[in-house]
Amino acid sequence: MGLVLEKLPGLAEGVPGGGVFLTTADALIDWTRKCSVWPLTFGLACCAIEMMASYASRFDFDRFGVIPRPSPRHADVMIIAGTVVKKMAEPIIQIYHQMPEPRFVISMGSCANCGGPYWDSYSVVKGVDKIIPVDVYIAGCPPRPESLMYAVTKLQEKILKMKLSATHGAAPQQDKGSREIAAA
Amino acid sequence: MTADELFAATTAEFPKLEKAAAEVKGYLTLRLPAAGDLLPVVTWLKGRGFRYLDMVTATDYKGPVEAKGFVSDPNPNGFLPAGARPEIEVSAAVAGFPYRDAFEAVYCLSHLEEKIKIFLKLELPREGAKVPSLAGLFEAADWQEREVYDLLGIVFEGHPNLTKILTPDFIQGHPLRKDYEHPSTHGVLRLGLTIKGEVITKAVPDIGYLHRGTEKLAEARGYHQCVVLSDRWDYCAAMPNNLVFCLAAEKLMNVQVPERADYLRTIMCELNRIASHLIFFGTYGIDIGAFTPFLYAFREREMILDLFEMVCGARLTYNYIRLGGVMIDVPPEWVAKTREFLDFFKPRIDEYDTLLSFNPIFMDRTKTVGLISAPEAVAWGLSGPNLRGSGVAYDARKFEPYAAYAKVAFEVPVGETGSCWDRYFCRVLEMRQSVRIVEQCLEQMKEGDIMAKGVAKIPKPPAGDAYAHVEGARGDIGIYLVSDGGPSPFRLHMRAPSFMNLAILQQSLVGKKVADVVAVLGSIDIVLGEVDR
C-alpha cells in the first residue's frame, strides 16, 4: 500500500483506519497499463537488430516492464521496426487487428515513418501510418536503442492521459489508417 | 589453369564461342551465339569441374526511357521540399554506349579447386525472351532464374516452378526493365510446410516480405549513394557490403586503393564478422531454447559497436568504406581500444564453448540434424559457413584475396558432416580466425593515406562490366555492375548469399520432423534484407 501511495502522489488518499485508499479508476488503470507495455516480437528489417539490442544486456528493457511477447493476443504495442513492403502491408494490418485494445504502435526508423532511403521504390509503403494509426514516431536510420527507450517513455506519458469515459473502455484508436496504401 | 588455357580448351570444343565485346573486367567472358548453345556449353564446363554456379542475372540494354513513376517524377511522395530535385537525376543517354533492344543474360561459374571463374553472356531479344533453364544441372539455378523471371520477364524453358519470387502478385510487370512503369497502387519469412503427422513432406519458403527494390533504385542513385543502399542489404554485417560494392566500382574506375585503407577495410570487415556471428550465436541459442548465450553475445557485440561508433558514428549502417578508400582515419586511441577488446574477447570464446558449443543438450539437438552433403551444398550454390560446414573450403578471401587478406595468415575452418552443429561451430571457429586477422592487421598497418586521389564527387566510370566478390559474414557476396558511362549504375546485381542459402530449405527440410525446422532454419543464418534486397 505504501508503495502505491508513493507511486501515485496526489491521486490516492489514505482513509483513516488503513487498508483502503481512494483514487480514480483512470489513474489506477493507466498506471498499471503504463508499467507493463508489452511489445510484439516482430521485426521487419535493420531496425529490428537495434530493437533486439534494446532487449539485450546493455540496455535491458525489462527494467521498464517492456517484455517482448510472441503472440499479438498478448501484446500491447507493436513496434514497426523496419521497412514496410507492399507484400508485408496486409499481414501487418492483420496482426494489428489481432492485438487486444487498447493497442499502440511505435513507428521505428525512417523507413516506417516515410519510406526513408527507399522513398522512391516501387515496392515500399511510404510510411506505416498509411495503413495503421501510429502513436509515436522515432527518427533515425536505424534509431539507437536510446531513441527507442525515449519513445517508450513518450508512449507511457500518452497512456497516462487516457480516459475510460471518453472511449467507452476502448482506446482512442481508429479502426483503419487515415490514408490508403493505393495513395502511394 | 589460367584464363588463356581455359579459353583455348573451350574454343577447341566449341569453335563458335568468342570473347565478349564487353568483358567482365579481369575474368574470362565468353559470348554465346544463340540460346541453344547454352546447355551444351554449360554441361561441358560442368564436366570439366565447374560445379559451382555463382550467379545468373540479366541486364536490360534499352536506353534510358521516360517512364511514368519513380524515375521520372523526382518527388512522388512530397518527401522533398517543393521544387527540390534529387542530386542525381535520371541519367540521360550517354553517347557511344551500345543501347539496344535486347536483354543480356549473364552466367558465372566457378571451378572451386582451380580457383577460376568464367562468365558466359547471351544476347536475347526483348520481346519473348526465352532461354533453356539450368535448373536440371544446378539446383542453385532454381531461385536465381525465378528472380530473373520476376524482375526482367525472361522465360526459362524447362524450369520446374517458374513463378514470381520477390514481388507480390499484385505488382504487375517486371521492375528491372528500363521501361517499367511504377504502379500507383528482422525480416519476415513465410515457410509453407506440408506435413504428415510430424514429418514434413514439402517445404515452400515464401520470400519477398522485405523486397525493397534496391537494384532498381541503384539505377537512379549516384555511385556514392549506392554505398548507402549497400549498408542495408545484410544489416548484421554491413561493412562487407560496403566493401564489395566499392571493389566493383573501383574496378570500373581503375582506382588503386592506398595500403592503409586496405588494412582498415580488412579490420572493419573482420570485426563486423565477429559482431554478426555473435548475433547468430545468441539467436541460435534462443532458437534451440537457450536464452543465456544471447545476453553474453550482445554484451560483447556492444563493445564492437562502440569501436565502430568511434570511427564512423554509426552502430549498424556504417557507410564507412567509400569509393577509393575509407571515410576517415581511425582516432589515435582506437588501436589500443581494439587491442583491449580482442584481449577481452579471446577468453570469451572459450566461455561460449563451455556454455553452448559442447553443451550435451545443444549437441543432441543439432549434431545429427539438417545434414547437407558436400556435393549437395555445391550444387545449391551455398557459400560461407554453410558450405564450409559441409567440408568444402571455399572462401573468397583465399579464392581471390582482396583488401589485405593476402598479407595475413589465417585458416579456413571446415566442418565434417554438414550438420547444424558443424555450421554453428564453423562460425565459432571463424570468430577466432577473425581475431587473428585483426591482430595481424593492427601489427602490420602503417601510417599513410586512407583515400585514393582523384575519385570524383559524382563519379562517371567508363562504360563496361565488372564483378567483385567478397566473403561476407553469410557467404560469398558478389556485385555485378554495368556502367554506361553515366553518373549512376546502368545495372547493379547482387549475388546475395542468404538468397542462395535459403533455397536449399526446399530440399533439406523434407523428411525432417517439425520440431527440427527451427534448428535447421537458424543454422542457415539468413538475413532477410539480403534475401529480398
Side-chain angles (χ1 to χ4, degrees):
Chain A
M1 183 60 69
L3 181 78
V4 172
L5 289 173
E6 193 184 298
K7 289 279 181 188
L8 297 170
L11 289 172
E13 274 176 37
V15 168
V20 178
F21 78 97
L22 295 175
T23 181
T24 59
D26 273 344
L28 187 66
I29 292 172
D30 288 349
W31 173 67
T32 49
R33 264 182 194 154
K34 163 204 135 175
C35 291
S36 65
V37 184
W38 286 1
L40 183 62
T41 314
F42 169 65
L44 290 171
C46 336
C47 291
I49 304 293
E50 286 298 61
M51 188 172 71
M52 269 159 64
S54 314
Y55 299 140
S57 325
R58 184 180 291 182
F59 298 95
D60 190 13
F61 259 26
D62 292 11
R63 293 179 291 157
F64 302 95
V66 177
I67 302 166
R69 310 308 299 179
S71 163
R73 298 287 190 207
H74 303 174
D76 304 298
V77 55
M78 178 148 90
I79 302 176
I80 305 288
T83 317
V84 182
V85 169
K86 285 178 182 165
K87 190 172 180 182
M88 195 62 210
E90 190 60 42
I92 286 183
I93 296 171
Q94 278 178 18
I95 295 170
Y96 178 75
H97 285 291
Q98 284 176 57
M99 287 166 53
E101 294 206 328
R103 53 195 171 208
F104 308 97
V105 176
I106 294 178
S107 160
M108 180 177 183
S110 301
C111 289
N113 294 345
C114 62
Y118 308 102
W119 59 277
D120 54 353
S121 169
Y122 56 86
S123 65
V124 172
V125 177
K126 315 299 164 1
V128 70
D129 55 4
K130 295 191 176 175
I131 53 173
I132 51 173
V134 173
D135 291 281
V136 184
Y137 298 85
I138 322 173
C141 187
R144 303 173 57 89
E146 290 93 330
S147 313
L148 185 57
M149 213 180 281
Y150 182 61
V152 170
T153 52
K154 278 284 164 198
L155 182 63
Q156 288 177 332
E157 282 173 26
K158 197 169 177 175
I159 292 173
L160 277 181
K161 288 183 194 138
M162 281 169 57
K163 282 193 166 48
L164 289 176
S165 56
T167 57
H168 307 284
Q173 303 272 341
Q174 300 155 322
D175 224 27
K176 276 186 185 164
S178 45
R179 287 174 285 167
E180 298 290 320
I181 317 175
Chain B
M1 198 188 325
T2 64
D4 289 336
E5 287 164 19
L6 178 61
F7 178 61
T10 326
T11 41
E13 185 73 24
F14 300 97
K16 278 192 291 179
L17 292 185
E18 53 193 39
K19 284 197 180 172
E23 63 157 12
V24 179
K25 290 204 172 170
Y27 295 101
L28 176 62
T29 315
L30 298 178
R31 198 179 78 84
L32 299 170
D37 298 322
L38 180 69
L39 274 179
V41 172
V42 173
T43 315
W44 182 80
L45 281 171
K46 195 185 175 194
R48 291 290 304 253
F50 284 83
R51 285 175 289 116
Y52 192 79
L53 178 69
D54 280 71
M55 186 183 77
V56 180
T57 187
T59 308
D60 180 3
Y61 275 94
K62 198 175 168 69
V65 278
E66 272 299 305
K68 270 188 221 144
F70 91 108
V71 245
S72 63
D73 182 358
N75 202 2
N77 308 303
F79 179 62
L80 300 173
R85 290 182 74 83
E87 194 179 326
I88 305 282
E89 295 178 14
V90 188
S91 38
V94 179
F97 188 77
Y99 299 110
R100 52 201 186 271
D101 257 5
F103 290 133
E104 191 176 69
V106 182
Y107 296 84
C108 174
L109 294 139
S110 285
H111 194 306
L112 297 185
E113 290 79 33
E114 299 271 354
K115 301 195 176 171
I116 188 163
K117 284 189 196 299
I118 182 170
F119 281 79
L120 301 174
K121 286 185 163 190
L122 174 64
E123 188 116 338
L124 300 163
R126 283 185 94 249
E127 292 303 318
K130 276 186 193 148
V131 209
S133 166
L134 293 188
L137 287 170
F138 300 96
E139 278 83 352
D142 181 351
W143 275 23
Q144 299 205 59
E145 289 182 346
R146 278 177 71 188
E147 182 193 337
V148 175
Y149 165 74
D150 187 359
L151 300 179
L152 279 141
I154 296 176
V155 175
F156 291 87
E157 288 173 316
H159 191 286
N161 175 31
L162 197 62
T163 47
K164 285 167 83 103
I165 184 165
L166 288 174
T167 60
D169 293 339
F170 59 81
I171 286 194
Q172 303 284 320
H174 306 286
L176 284 182
R177 290 195 177 194
K178 295 287 176 195
D179 52 359
Y180 173 70
E181 299 212 347
H182 183 36
S184 286
T185 53
H186 170 95
V188 180
L189 166 70
R190 205 176 127 241
L191 201 54
L193 298 177
T194 314
I195 52 176
K196 193 174 179 190
E198 285 288 309
V199 179
I200 295 159
T201 56
K202 194 177 172 204
V204 185
D206 180 10
I207 62 172
Y209 289 101
L210 192 50
H211 177 60
R212 309 192 265 207
T214 34
E215 289 186 8
K216 182 80 175 178
L217 292 183
E219 291 171 13
R221 302 279 197 276
Y223 282 84
H224 287 298
Q225 292 172 318
C226 286
V227 182
V228 177
L229 292 180
S230 79
D231 269 326
R232 286 151 185 83
W233 289 328
D234 176 359
Y235 37 75
C236 291
M239 290 284 188
N241 293 344
N242 289 173
L243 179 59
V244 66
F245 175 77
C246 290
L247 286 178
E250 282 157 7
K251 275 190 186 173
L252 280 178
M253 299 193 290
N254 289 320
V255 170
Q256 193 62 39
V257 176
E259 197 186 26
R260 187 175 170 86
D262 265 346
Y263 276 109
L264 285 173
R265 287 172 166 197
T266 313
I267 293 173
M268 296 307 164
C269 284
E270 290 309 311
L271 285 176
N272 214 175
R273 188 187 313 281
I274 297 176
S276 167
H277 284 352
L278 282 174
I279 296 186
F280 164 79
F281 170 79
T283 51
Y284 195 47
I286 293 186
D287 289 345
I288 298 292
F291 188 75
T292 326
F294 175 70
L295 298 174
Y296 281 73
F298 270 67
R299 180 187 63 187
E300 272 80 80
R301 181 174 172 269
E302 288 291 339
M303 292 175 169
I304 300 179
L305 298 192
D306 284 349
L307 294 174
F308 286 149
E309 238 184 296
M310 274 174 81
V311 283
C312 64
R315 285 164 51 88
L316 210 60
T317 47
Y318 313 106
N319 196 14
Y320 175 66
I321 295 172
R322 301 276 175 92
L323 299 179
V326 295
M327 175 177 95
I328 193 170
D329 207 345
V330 291
E333 67 277 19
W334 191 84
V335 172
K337 201 102 175 145
T338 308
R339 287 218 171 91
E340 197 182 304
F341 164 74
L342 294 176
D343 291 338
F344 172 83
F345 182 65
K346 271 184 281 183
R348 295 289 93 76
I349 307 181
D350 300 330
E351 215 173 273
Y352 301 157
D353 282 348
T354 25
L355 185 67
L356 194 64
S357 308
F358 296 107
N359 179 321
I361 306 173
F362 179 71
M363 286 171 84
D364 280 355
R365 293 263 339 246
T366 51
K367 263 243 142 146
T368 53
V369 174
L371 299 181
I372 299 174
S373 71
E376 256 181 357
V378 171
W380 281 92
L382 298 195
S383 53
N386 300 322
L387 180 64
R388 295 194 284 273
S390 300
V392 183
Y394 172 54
D395 188 320
R397 294 172 293 178
K398 292 280 190 195
F399 192 90
E400 279 176 299
Y402 51 93
Y405 286 107
K407 298 168 196 158
V408 292
F410 66 100
E411 283 150 29
V412 177
V414 289
E416 287 159 11
T417 57
S419 65
C420 292
W421 190 83
D422 273 330
R423 289 191 281 279
Y424 158 86
F425 200 59
C426 261
R427 293 189 176 91
V428 176
L429 293 175
E430 269 183 24
M431 288 200 272
R432 291 181 195 272
Q433 297 300 327
S434 296
V435 171
R436 248 180 98 189
I437 297 173
V438 176
E439 281 178 337
Q440 292 177 57
C441 286
L442 290 176
E443 207 62 50
Q444 294 175 9
M445 190 166 62
K446 295 187 191 69
E447 293 295 314
D449 285 340
I450 48 130
M451 185 55 104
K453 302 249 169 358
V455 179
K457 200 175 168 193
I458 298 183
K460 293 181 183 172
D465 296 19
Y467 181 78
H469 67 125
V470 306
E471 189 64 30
R474 270 150 204 84
D476 186 36
I477 315 175
I479 290 287
Y480 173 66
L481 203 54
V482 182
S483 166
D484 62 349
S488 42
F490 187 69
R491 172 82 168 96
L492 180 145
H493 173 73
M494 183 204 192
R495 180 209 188 270
S498 294
F499 179 73
M500 311 278 291
N501 293 345
L502 185 60
I504 200 175
L505 283 190
Q506 299 170 86
Q507 181 188 311
S508 67
L509 282 183
V510 174
K512 303 276 171 355
K513 299 281 194 311
V514 175
D516 290 333
V517 170
V518 175
V520 176
L521 180 60
S523 75
I524 301 278
D525 189 24
I526 48 162
V527 162
L528 268 302
E530 192 180 71
V531 173
D532 297 338
R533 280 152 285 149

